Amino acid sequence: MVIPEYQSKHIGTGIMNNLLNQINQYKKINPDIRTYLGASQGKESFYEKFGFEQRPCYWDGPGMFKMLR
């Protein structure tokens, strides 16, 4: 998570791009890899921009997942 005063400065975007690049490297070893993450309530749209989909969880906020193809 990015501290609120640092949000909207592309820090989270940079982190996500680096993580997804690393995941794509793992995909070369295991093409069936799946990636899951937990999203804070109200932040789901940030992760959806990266292709993650919601898996509803009403008490913690949705879990998010992405099937890498």
Side-chain angles (χ1 to χ4, degrees), residues 4-62:
E5 54 265 23
Y6 290 97
Q7 292 176 359
S8 300
K9 299 181 186 288
H10 305 287
I11 295 168
T13 298
I15 292 169
M16 288 300 297
N17 285 330
N18 285 326
L19 287 171
L20 291 172
N21 285 336
Q22 185 66 48
I23 291 165
N24 284 326
Q25 294 301 313
Y26 291 135
K27 187 178 180 338
K28 292 175 185 177
I29 299 166
N30 178 1
D32 297 322
I33 193 170
R34 296 179 189 191
T35 304
Y36 298 90
L37 60 86
S40 297
Q41 289 182 348
K43 301 295 182 183
E44 302 86 1
S45 63
F46 173 78
Y47 299 101
E48 288 171 342
K49 291 187 291 187
F50 296 94
F52 284 84
E53 299 176 36
Q54 293 187 34
R55 295 183 68 182
C57 178
Y58 299 103
W59 59 88
D60 279 340

